[in-house]
Amino acid sequence: MLEPLIQDTASLTRLCERLRGQSWIALDTEFMRSRTYYARLCLVQVASPDVVACVDTLALSAIEPLLEVMYSPCVLKIIHSARQDLEVLTDIRGSPPTPVFDTQIAASLCGFDDQIGYGTLVESITGHKLPKLHTRADWEARPLPPEQLRYAEDDVRFLRDVYRFLAQKLEELGRTSWLVEDCAAITDPALYRNDPRLAYRRLRQGQNLVPAAQMVLRELAAWRERAAQQNNLPRGWVAPDATLLEIAQAVPQSIEMLYHISGLSSGGVRKWREEILQAVRHGLARVPERLWEEPRRPDRDQQARYERWHARIRTVATQLKISPTVLAPRRELLKLMSGDMSSGLARGWRRECVGAELLRRCGGQKGSAVVT
């Protein structure tokens, strides 16, 4: 049954009463964040076996009844490529909802392309071809055009059939526990914490700076993250990445010097000048250290080892009929080669399929094979 657009509290309450008690719901969100740090939730699409509805979150003063359903630990949330949706919900509730069934992850474990899009997956499973007319729509504009609303409804209408197919396929393959493991990883609250102290990691070009400048950059990145959060502004509106890198290199000591930094408007200098100069001073006061390891080329033995391991991964992935990158993402393989037991290959289903074998091959020794 198709519900009209939910725009009032009474209608939302009736919808949530119908959703309560369901073992699963299909879920999608539409949001905008071009002018803000935190995404503005504009629409929530939800479907159960017998209901399809869109909730106009901009028209409602509160959506707590819907959040209660979405955050119920007894209700499985079916989402395609869930990371962004979970991030938006984490901004609202402080943590992502659980449990989740990510259909993109499920599809990859069933042999589909590991980054398969929703439309392609729907067509592959149901034969229905979805239009692509509103992939860049303005979801804040009201009223929502009927064709845009239908597009939004389709994001959960067909998700129900996709879920049923993939759930059955995973059960047949004996891989349901694999999906549970991988979906638990994407619902880890730590994944969605934007800690200002770690914001420098977004600025990979910083690895080219000398250690003293890296200290300044770390303080600048932390300041920008806090300012963006507190003022609900995009990071680039506070200061572009290139500007932070320029400041870290120039280490301005006065307001006058700030005016010579490209990317800082006169208004930006007036608004943030004291915070910027304080961040520079704090950075200069730190003992210089490298925040990024210098890339090292592997020697001949390390490269040969990597190629042997990767060849074995390709063989196992072929046997399992999944992508090698699903079985062993490159970064996880490099972790294991260096002896880092936090690698995804050292636990769970990936360890059972290939990780334990690779560890036996190296006799459990911790190597230093850094492959670039």
Side-chain angles (χ1 to χ4, degrees):
M1 177 181 176
L2 178 61
E3 293 284 338
L5 181 62
I6 306 298
Q7 294 181 298
D8 61 85
T9 302
S11 298
L12 180 64
T13 300
R14 288 193 296 270
L15 171 66
C16 293
E17 287 173 353
R18 298 191 63 184
L19 295 176
R20 288 191 188 95
Q22 299 288 345
S23 60
W24 59 265
I25 57 173
L27 186 65
D28 190 35
T29 65
E30 306 296 347
F31 54 89
M32 300 291 287
R33 71 181 336 148
S34 58
R35 299 184 297 274
T36 58
Y37 179 90
Y38 298 105
R40 189 182 189 200
L41 184 60
C42 302
L43 196 71
V44 174
Q45 304 100 289
V46 62
S48 68
D50 59 351
V51 174
V52 176
C54 292
V55 178
D56 186 352
T57 53
L58 299 185
L60 292 156
S61 58
I63 59 169
E64 195 59 33
L66 181 59
L67 290 173
E68 288 178 7
V69 173
M70 292 160 60
Y71 274 80
S72 170
C74 301
V75 179
L76 181 64
K77 275 66 68 172
I78 316 302
I79 311 174
H80 185 81
S81 188
R83 282 288 296 269
Q84 285 191 323
D85 301 282
L86 296 179
E87 181 180 3
V88 172
L89 294 171
T90 299
D91 286 346
I92 296 172
R93 269 286 184 105
S95 63
T98 60
V100 164
F101 184 111
D102 188 321
T103 51
Q104 187 177 70
I105 295 175
S108 72
L109 298 178
C110 291
F112 289 89
D113 183 81
D114 57 322
Q115 295 295 319
I116 191 168
Y118 176 66
T120 303
L121 187 58
V122 167
E123 187 173 3
S124 298
I125 291 174
T126 72
H128 186 89
K129 189 174 182 64
L130 296 175
K132 300 180 180 180
L133 300 176
H134 302 283
T135 54
R136 298 186 180 277
D138 180 357
W139 293 101
E140 289 182 295
R142 291 297 183 274
L144 289 170
E147 64 276 9
Q148 189 172 328
L149 198 54
R150 283 194 295 272
Y151 169 87
E153 291 163 354
D154 284 348
D155 280 345
V156 290
R157 177 183 288 111
F158 296 100
L159 192 54
R160 298 175 298 183
D161 293 330
V162 168
Y163 161 64
R164 292 184 183 105
F165 175 89
L166 293 174
Q168 181 178 347
K169 186 71 173 176
L170 288 169
E171 189 67 28
E172 293 170 355
L173 293 169
R175 297 177 185 176
T176 300
S177 62
W178 296 11
L179 180 76
V180 171
E181 180 183 324
D182 285 4
C183 286
I186 65 168
T187 56
D188 180 356
L191 200 60
Y192 303 95
R193 295 187 190 124
N194 290 320
D195 187 344
R197 294 170 298 178
L198 303 178
Y200 72 89
R201 294 177 177 176
R202 295 178 176 274
L203 302 162
R204 295 294 299 174
Q205 291 171 295
Q207 64 187 324
N208 300 320
L209 301 178
V210 298
Q214 289 186 16
M215 296 297 96
V216 175
L217 182 65
R218 180 171 64 182
E219 297 297 325
L220 288 167
W223 156 73
R224 183 181 69 170
E225 196 74 15
R226 288 191 297 269
Q229 292 172 348
Q230 293 165 5
N231 294 273
N232 196 22
L233 292 172
R235 296 180 185 90
W237 286 23
V238 176
D241 291 354
T243 298
L244 296 189
L245 290 162
E246 185 178 349
I247 295 173
Q249 291 177 298
V251 289
Q253 302 291 305
S254 66
I255 295 171
E256 289 72 22
M257 293 177 69
L258 284 179
Y259 281 102
H260 296 287
I261 301 295
S262 59
L264 270 184
S265 65
S266 57
V269 172
R270 286 193 299 271
K271 184 172 185 178
W272 310 113
R273 57 191 181 187
E274 293 302 332
E275 290 90 341
I276 294 172
L277 292 176
Q278 185 179 54
V280 171
R281 289 192 293 269
H282 285 171
L284 291 174
R286 304 290 185 188
V287 176
E289 62 175 300
R290 294 203 67 87
L291 298 175
W292 292 273
E293 288 188 9
E294 293 188 65
R296 291 177 292 163
R297 295 193 63 80
D299 60 30
R300 184 177 301 174
D301 289 342
Q302 291 168 346
Q303 184 64 37
R305 182 182 174 201
Y306 174 83
E307 290 173 358
R308 288 194 304 272
W309 283 29
H310 196 256
R312 180 56 184 157
I313 286 166
R314 289 197 303 269
T315 298
V316 174
T318 299
Q319 294 168 348
L320 295 171
K321 297 182 180 179
I322 61 176
S323 167
T325 57
V326 172
L327 175 60
R330 186 174 186 272
R331 65 182 179 278
E332 301 303 325
L333 177 57
L334 295 180
K335 280 184 182 180
L336 196 70
M337 288 185 64
S338 67
D340 184 349
M341 297 305 288
S342 71
S343 167
L345 285 164
R347 61 182 185 273
W349 70 267
R350 290 178 175 85
R351 180 187 178 99
E352 293 175 6
C353 289
V354 74
E357 176 188 341
L358 297 179
L359 286 170
R360 286 195 299 272
R361 287 188 175 199
C362 66
Q365 296 178 351
K366 291 188 177 182
S368 57
V370 179
V371 183
T372 57

